[in-house]
Amino acid sequence: MGGPAAHRPPAYPYFLAGLYKLTGDSALSARYAQAFLGAVAVGLIGLLAWRIWGARVGLIALVLAAVFPPLIISSTTLISEALVVPLVVASIVTACEARRSRHALVWLSASGALAGLVALTRPNGFLLLVPVAIAAWTTQAGGGGG
């Protein structure tokens, strides 16, 4: 007993370790980084809504995400959700983009890689691989590959 243990997936601790290596052992720098990740998540939510439902809905989604309390709070506390949310939304955005693009394989690869990072960030993150796999299968079946 007493040796290395894996109670949590490693991506978030590695994220913090890299950040602390760059900035010193500063919780404030981690909060700034998480605030930046929150802004990225908000932008990705707006982008996703825009690509699916159009510019007006995208703007509404962007504004609603910007004032959504859980997204705001996740920037103030050092928790893995600050990293998970933009990764999940980015994985979904790239999977959706694969259906529109002539380069579906590139987008699906990016989506799978992002879903893999989610799995390395949260214990239940591997579940995102299921819809990504469905997106890959339906995109290829629909002739969107290439």
Side-chain angles (χ1 to χ4, degrees):
M1 308 299 283
H7 296 291
R8 302 198 193 299
Y12 185 70
Y14 280 137
F15 166 74
L16 286 179
L19 190 62
Y20 288 166
K21 183 90 170 162
L22 290 173
T23 65
D25 192 13
S26 168
L28 184 61
S29 65
R31 286 189 181 104
Y32 284 143
Q34 289 189 173
F36 174 76
L37 288 172
V40 168
V42 167
L44 287 169
I45 289 167
L47 175 64
L48 179 62
W50 172 62
R51 294 297 279 164
I52 294 174
W53 295 292
R56 176 178 288 183
V57 175
L59 183 59
I60 292 169
L62 185 83
V63 170
L64 290 175
V67 297
F68 187 56
L71 283 178
I72 295 169
I73 291 169
S74 72
S75 298
T76 62
T77 307
L78 299 181
I79 54 176
S80 63
E81 281 76 7
L83 184 58
V84 167
V85 171
L87 288 174
V88 167
V89 180
S91 180
I92 295 167
V93 167
T94 54
C96 290
E97 194 61 33
R99 299 190 65 79
R100 296 173 172 245
S101 175
R102 293 185 317 126
H103 306 287
L105 187 58
V106 173
W107 288 105
L108 289 171
S109 298
S111 183
L114 290 163
L117 286 173
V118 171
L120 290 172
T121 306
R122 295 288 297 160
N124 59 352
F126 72 93
L127 293 172
L128 183 61
L129 294 170
V130 173
V132 168
I134 292 169
W137 182 67
T138 58
T139 299
Q140 296 301 333

